Amino acid sequence: MPLRVAGRRALALVRAVLAVLCERLDALSWSLQPLFLPLLGWSRSPTLGTAAPTAGSRREEWEAETPTPTSVNYHFTRQCNYKCGFCFHTAKTSFVLPLEEAKRGLKMLKEAGMEKINFSGGEPFLQDRGEFVGKLVQFCKQELKLPSVSIVSNGSLIREQWFKKYGEYLDILAISCDSFVEEVNALIGRGQGTRSHVGNLQRLRRWCRDYAVAFKLNSVINRFNVEEDMNQQIQALNPVRWKVFQCLLIEGENCGEDALREAEKFVISDEEFEQFLARHKDISCLVPESNQKMKDSYLILDEYMRFLNCQKGRKEPSRSILDVGVEAAIKHSGFDEKMFLKRGGKYVWSKADMKLDW
């Protein structure tokens, strides 16, 4: 292994360990707040679960700044069996919360106003061969009664047995597919040896139809696929939504000295992205997301259930909702609620309301 790569990985490991230690210190300091907050003229609000000014005007300002976690993307694992070169949520840790702790956090999010949960990674089906995400999906639909439960996956590890067991609880399955040319997928890092990523896509589409799960496609437009014409393939698959992302750089994830990826070679210009969109303008289900729309309009929850703030081009974690509550943590998420609504973040996302012809 080249010394430079080894050095970067060692540095990333040290940063990950320090992040966990800092999180625990944050939790400790939070537990001590009742001892010193009164000295500063503040109180720990029983409704917010966080420190708030005692003055009425300051309390109103505090509450007004709290966004509602209507739609949350929970990246409960960073581990993946693919090596996509532009990945912006890389395998910095192997940590996964215990199932009951994850359920506790999801219940807290529901009580704070969550309507849609999207499970992502990493690859969600790596953990316990899909049983972990399956149990979370069932819990969110059956116990929390969320209007929408979805998963984003590369699709390589999903088996029909999973649909038989958990399909009824899943509203949307989004499969990542950046190209319909296998050689391009190999260049990107989306694939496993000689197995066909595109061939597997056809099988997953059929299972979604058979088990009444809305089928969605996600594509990251980058240097290797920006010239591709995907019209025929998308029309044949007929997804409910085709989310088209412009390749995004996040320091510490897919670019920078402490990153596990070097995504600079995948980046395209705004003009190139617009040209790709123009080529596919007749696809009615196309949902484009430029870097500007994407960066701050997602509520991203990491493996420790910390909101990730991307405003400074990095993923700066809040304290865990399990330690400080949803309202306290979400204030540090950098979430742009207006952009979320502007980009169409809220749509008909329950399969019961889609009235699809399965």
Side-chain angles (χ1 to χ4, degrees):
M1 179 184 298
L3 290 176
R4 181 169 174 263
V5 175
R8 283 175 44 223
R9 290 184 177 177
L11 181 58
L13 178 61
V14 170
R15 286 178 180 268
V17 172
L18 288 175
V20 175
L21 292 175
C22 288
E23 180 190 355
R24 295 303 140 201
L25 287 173
D26 279 345
L28 177 60
S29 65
W30 182 259
S31 67
L32 295 175
Q33 282 185 15
L35 299 178
F36 61 80
L37 285 177
L39 299 176
L40 303 176
W42 290 61
S43 65
R44 187 166 177 174
S45 166
T47 55
L48 293 181
T50 184
T54 54
S57 60
R58 283 182 291 171
R59 180 180 294 278
E60 290 173 5
E61 182 180 350
W62 177 271
E63 292 178 350
E65 292 175 353
T66 305
T68 302
T70 307
S71 177
V72 177
N73 294 273
Y74 177 24
H75 294 249
F76 66 83
T77 178
R78 283 178 171 268
Q79 298 300 300
C80 189
N81 59 327
Y82 278 11
K83 295 180 180 179
C84 301
F86 49 68
C87 180
F88 52 81
H89 199 75
T90 54
K92 289 188 165 186
T93 76
S94 58
F95 179 81
V96 177
L97 274 173
L99 182 64
E100 294 306 313
E101 281 292 276
K103 287 182 178 180
R104 180 167 73 90
L106 291 167
K107 184 179 180 183
M108 292 168 66
L109 288 163
K110 167 65 187 303
E111 292 169 350
M114 181 175 68
E115 299 175 19
K116 180 181 188 294
I117 183 69
N118 179 52
F119 295 106
S120 188
E123 172 48 48
F125 284 84
L126 262 180
Q127 186 69 18
D128 299 333
R129 297 184 178 181
E131 282 297 303
F132 187 88
V133 71
K135 290 173 182 176
L136 290 181
V137 164
Q138 183 174 0
F139 172 76
C140 287
K141 181 61 72 172
Q142 197 171 58
E143 301 296 325
L144 299 184
K145 302 188 184 305
L146 290 181
S148 184
V149 181
S150 65
I151 299 174
V152 174
S153 168
N154 62 38
S156 64
L157 302 174
I158 306 176
R159 302 293 178 261
E160 186 175 9
Q161 185 61 36
W162 191 94
F163 282 95
K164 291 179 180 179
K165 190 172 182 179
Y166 298 111
E168 64 180 295
Y169 309 111
L170 184 65
D171 289 276
I172 303 169
L173 175 65
I175 299 298
S176 299
C177 181
D178 308 310
S179 176
F180 292 92
V181 179
E182 292 295 358
E183 290 78 10
V184 174
N185 284 321
L187 285 172
I188 290 171
R190 196 180 291 286
Q192 289 181 303
T194 58
R195 294 181 63 181
S196 170
H197 184 72
V198 177
N200 192 47
L201 193 67
Q202 304 289 346
R203 183 165 56 251
L204 289 165
R205 179 66 183 95
R206 184 174 67 253
W207 287 340
C208 282
R209 185 181 295 111
D210 293 345
Y211 295 94
V213 175
F215 180 76
K216 177 184 172 186
L217 275 179
N218 286 353
S219 299
V220 177
I221 308 309
N222 61 84
R223 178 57 51 206
F224 296 101
N225 66 0
V226 68
E227 300 295 335
E228 191 171 335
D229 186 335
M230 305 182 186
N231 280 283
Q232 183 177 350
Q233 293 88 347
I234 298 298
Q235 289 171 350
L237 287 167
N238 191 29
V240 294
R241 283 164 74 85
W242 179 33
K243 191 74 78 71
V244 175
F245 303 96
Q246 182 181 2
C247 183
L248 177 67
L249 295 180
I250 297 290
E251 189 177 346
E253 295 283 356
N254 63 7
C255 70
E257 291 185 1
D258 57 343
L260 299 184
R261 295 282 186 271
E262 294 180 352
E264 290 88 347
K265 66 180 180 180
F266 290 90
V267 173
I268 58 173
S269 67
D270 294 345
E271 291 75 17
E272 288 174 309
F273 185 62
E274 289 300 325
Q275 288 170 9
F276 180 91
L277 297 179
R279 192 181 313 124
H280 298 88
K281 60 181 173 45
D282 294 329
I283 302 290
S284 60
C285 62
L286 186 149
V287 181
E289 291 197 6
S290 63
N291 287 172
Q292 182 183 5
K293 286 184 178 180
M294 189 181 1
K295 186 167 68 73
D296 301 322
S297 65
Y298 282 85
L299 269 176
I300 302 175
L301 206 63
D302 75 358
E303 64 274 21
Y304 300 100
M305 285 200 157
R306 304 176 301 187
F307 288 112
L308 298 178
N309 187 330
C310 299
Q311 287 183 323
K312 296 180 181 179
R314 295 183 61 90
K315 288 183 175 179
E316 302 291 346
S318 70
R319 287 175 289 190
S320 173
I321 67 171
L322 298 171
D323 294 331
V324 302
V326 175
E327 291 84 356
I330 202 172
K331 287 183 179 294
H332 303 282
S333 65
F335 178 54
D336 187 339
E337 200 163 11
K338 291 182 180 178
M339 182 58 78
F340 165 74
L341 295 172
K342 184 178 179 180
R343 68 166 172 81
K346 193 166 185 177
Y347 56 97
V348 180
W349 51 31
S350 172
K351 66 182 179 183
D353 298 329
M354 291 180 190
K355 299 178 182 179
L356 296 174
D357 182 7
W358 303 110

